[in-house]
Amino acid sequence: MDAQSRGRADDIDPADQWVLNPQTGNYELRLDHSAGESPVAARTATGADSGHRGDARIGSQRDGSASEDAGLREGAGLHKESGRREDSGRREVPGQRSRRAGQGGGRGADASAAGGAGRRKRKAPKARRKKALMWTGGVTAFVVVAAGVGAYILYERFNGNISTIDIGDAGNKDVLSEGPMNILIIGTDKRTGKGNEGYGDKGSEGHADTNILFHVSEDRTNATALSIPRDLMTDIPDCETKQPDGSTKTIPGTPGVRFNVSLGQEGRNPGCTMQTVEAITGIKPDHFMMVDFNAVKELTTAVGGVKVCMAKPVDDPKSHLKLPAGESVVAGEDALALLRTRHSFGNESDLDRIKVQQQFLGSMIREMKSSDTLTNPTKLFKLADAATNALTVDQGIGSAKKLMTLAQEIGKVDTKNITFVTLPVIDNPAETVKATVVPHPTQAEQLFAMMRSDTSLTEVKQKEKAAKSAQAALLKGPKAAPADVRVDVLNGGEISGAAGATVTWLQNQQGVLKSTNKANAPEKIGKTTLEYAPNQADQARALAEMMGLPAAAMKPGTADAEELEAMVLTLGADFKGAGIPITGPAKAPEGIEKASADKAVCAK
């Protein structure tokens, strides 16, 4: 694949095989110089205008690069024939033009006339193609490549790089899901494997050291990246793990331990970490993506370094990080040292290290969106290769094609609407020496409720305006007295006994005496619904206000109900307890620090 290794100075780097298709605006990989060329390129390659010096040079370079195509196909695990089968039904891709073609002559009048359509000025790709999202190391490069080069990341070169773990039923079997998407990003401090040795605790299977629950809104206008402290004290639930022989082993849960032992310890896999996150937040992750120390080094090197800013000079003998005040560019070992150090910032806690990590990721996003990256096929190729090598994922997204699908969906989010936030915590009151933390008694649940109800932490004005309008319309009009509200309650969620608890709450605290527990619903549902008839609208408005039901939960019928007929309230997975509003707060609790991915901040 390396031209220099074969002694040919004019060979083309494999990444330079990516060419812009003017018909689609995407970079695509040209597998065959003769097949799929535009009329102009074909004419030039065959010497139709050989009287022009520039054409001769182009033809010569094309003749000398056929072996480069073969080498790329071999490196990608594809044969020429199979590559053609994959290309069937797609538009033709222009052949690659010499990077020196503009020197010493033009194409000639014949070529201009014959290939007039091909000579028209190309339109620049739409801005939306540059809105690729990167939320952490491995995903970063992959999403950008998906936006820049499209379907060609399906090639086996990338597909074979990806490692997968079977997490059973812990995640989503499908790549995409209806409604919001939740992806758990795990940075492990594993000390085994290539590139991970030499960091102390040699041979450790690692912990869930850095954890980000990445929530993408249902309409893909915004995203929230929730950092979960590794030193959070929590209860780890029982979890099932798949063994190498295909059997299933249940690992007993452990109460009152640090969050980071939800991975690697006692044989726990990322599925156990996902279940722990769900137990804490009430949000079920659909997928996980995991990276290690070596991934950080390789990815930051591949991108050419990440710009960071220090409010003061840093000299940390433990992490060996030395940076001056102001801006610097870090990559490789320096980037890893920055993400690991916690003795140079704030009160030297893990919480201050999380802030630095968030600032670092925001800077990586801006770097990946820069034109220097998006218009550089060589860099994109190297990033995609490094990224897929770095990733370990669940089987639901365990292929290049599946990851591309996920990346394209998440890439719809504008970077300015990506908000970093840390789970609100307080010092563990059970400790004399404050070494761990516990969730804030009020702020944590409020933040979780916002995420569960898909409420944005950013100023997505159009979405917020529409949501407020829909909610106002829902509650507008007369409301029945609590004693006149008649409702049957079914449990279609995850909380055992939820229907009974809700009926008790309605009767004892809200005065809804005509509420009835109908036990379990026929099947589980994701979101709570309230079905009612037109002549029950006043009852529906009253119940919606009591329970904080969102407008999307209201399911009006078309025919009036009988006099004693009850409405039907089915509690879904978004229901977290009697008296807890399903909609969540309209804005983030006071005192929660937020950081936007599109703004540079100096670490203090």
Side-chain angles (χ1 to χ4, degrees), residues 189-206 292-294:
D189 59 355
K190 183 177 181 179
R191 264 73 167 186
T192 60
K194 182 180 178 181
N196 295 316
E197 309 91 342
Y199 294 103
D201 197 15
K202 186 176 181 180
S204 169
E205 287 298 320
D292 58 19
F293 288 159
N294 196 49

Side-chain angles (χ1 to χ4, degrees), residues 105-148:
R107 294 173 182 266
D110 291 343
S112 299
R119 296 292 299 271
R120 286 199 299 269
K121 185 177 180 180
R122 296 170 180 159
K123 295 182 180 179
K126 295 182 179 179
R128 65 181 175 80
R129 295 193 180 100
K130 293 189 177 181
K131 292 182 179 178
L133 166 69
M134 180 193 74
W135 59 92
T136 191
V139 184
T140 300
F142 195 88
V143 174
V144 172
V145 173

Side-chain angles (χ1 to χ4, degrees), residues 127 129 171 306 313 528 537 541 551 589:
R129 295 193 180 100
V306 177
T528 298
R541 283 189 285 268

Side-chain angles (χ1 to χ4, degrees), residues 175-353:
V175 178
L176 304 179
S177 57
E178 294 183 4
M181 293 193 302
N182 298 289
I183 302 158
L184 181 62
I185 311 301
I186 304 172
T188 176
D189 59 355
K190 183 177 181 179
R191 264 73 167 186
T192 60
K194 182 180 178 181
N196 295 316
E197 309 91 342
Y199 294 103
D201 197 15
K202 186 176 181 180
S204 169
E205 287 298 320
H207 306 75
D209 194 55
T210 299
N211 310 276
I212 298 176
L213 179 60
F214 195 81
H215 170 88
V216 184
S217 67
E218 181 173 8
D219 62 7
R220 311 304 189 237
T221 63
N222 64 91
T224 299
L226 174 69
S227 292
I228 301 174
R230 68 175 190 180
D231 295 327
L232 179 76
M233 295 299 287
T234 190
D235 296 337
I236 299 178
D238 296 349
C239 65
E240 291 186 349
T241 60
K242 291 289 185 179
Q243 302 301 301
D245 62 1
S247 63
T248 299
K249 178 182 178 181
T250 298
I251 300 177
T254 309
V257 293
R258 296 182 191 227
F259 178 88
N260 68 347
V261 301
S262 63
L263 174 72
Q265 314 308 301
E266 309 296 332
R268 295 187 178 105
N269 65 20
C272 299
T273 308
M274 294 169 72
Q275 292 178 54
T276 304
V277 168
E278 183 179 3
I280 295 170
T281 66
I283 301 167
K284 182 176 181 178
D286 295 298
H287 304 289
F288 83 86
M289 295 181 176
M290 185 168 65
V291 292
D292 58 19
F293 288 159
N294 196 49
V296 174
K297 294 185 291 185
E298 289 187 355
L299 286 164
T300 53
T301 300
V303 77
V306 177
K307 185 182 293 185
V308 295
C309 180
M310 302 293 110
K312 60 182 180 180
V314 174
D315 187 354
D316 184 357
K318 292 190 176 182
S319 67
H320 309 293
L321 177 66
K322 290 186 178 182
L323 292 174
E327 290 189 346
S328 301
V329 175
V330 296
E333 291 286 354
D334 286 340
L336 178 60
L338 175 63
L339 295 180
R340 295 184 65 215
T341 187
R342 61 185 177 89
H343 297 288
S344 302
F345 308 107
N347 61 5
E348 302 187 13
S349 70
D350 185 50
L351 298 177
D352 286 293
R353 179 169 63 171

